Amino acid sequence: MDARLNYMAQPDAAKAVKHFISGARTLRDSTLPSVTQELVALRVSQINGCSGCIDMHTKEAAHAGETPLRLHLVAAWREATVFTEAERAALELAEAGTRVADAAGGVDDAVWERAAKHYDEEQLTALVVHIAFMNMVNRLNVITRQPAGDYEPGQIH
């Protein structure tokens, strides 16, 4: 499978993508736990069907020490007992934030309150920006059919 576009071959797009990635790297230094960031990135990418990001975030999480069991259960996190209450709240917010078009009211107050119970304002801000960032990258990759499978941990992060 070949990608429809190579963003990095187009000067304006390459510049924009580099800025996007730079912004995402800034979030990595936030107080939002890195394991939470990877779980959220993986779940958003699963929902959006972004194979490149699923490949990337599965490998990055495994490289950082995440267990295969937890990675396999991210798609079924509601029924899985391996996630903390804080991680579950973050995954719930990620799903609600990704599926805003499916929910007439967007992210409901109960979802927000569960996340706010576990994360302070700085962490919530990082979480919301991370969810939005992942949705943007997923859309870029899905629209242009970016292939998956060749990512190496640390290649972009």
Side-chain angles (χ1 to χ4, degrees), residues 3-77:
R4 290 174 171 162
L5 290 176
N6 176 355
Y7 301 117
M8 302 315 272
Q10 307 304 320
D12 290 338
K15 188 175 180 179
V17 169
K18 287 177 185 177
H19 284 294
F20 297 153
I21 292 169
S22 176
R25 285 188 179 135
T26 301
L27 290 176
R28 290 218 156 287
D29 297 332
S30 75
T31 59
L32 182 65
S34 59
V35 66
T36 302
Q37 292 182 43
E38 291 299 339
L39 293 173
V40 163
L42 179 55
R43 185 63 191 128
V44 169
S45 300
Q46 289 171 336
I47 293 166
N48 289 325
C50 183
S51 61
C53 290
I54 293 169
D55 181 33
M56 172 193 221
H57 293 289
T58 300
K59 290 174 179 175
E60 288 292 348
H63 182 73
E66 188 56 79
T67 67
L69 175 64
R70 284 171 43 96
L71 290 174
H72 292 303
L73 289 174
V74 167
W77 66 267

Side-chain angles (χ1 to χ4, degrees), residues 100-155:
V100 292
D102 300 337
V107 176
D108 72 36
D109 290 339
V111 171
W112 183 261
E113 289 167 12
R114 281 189 285 278
K117 179 176 153 186
H118 297 284
Y119 300 102
D120 64 25
E121 193 165 316
E122 178 184 350
Q123 292 169 320
L124 281 170
T125 301
L127 184 56
V128 168
V129 172
H130 187 52
I131 292 164
F133 172 79
M134 287 308 306
N135 275 284
M136 178 203 57
V137 171
N138 288 171
R139 280 152 177 76
L140 287 170
N141 289 341
V142 170
I143 290 167
T144 61
R145 293 189 180 160
Q146 297 297 315
D150 296 331
Y151 183 81
E152 297 291 329
Q155 184 177 332

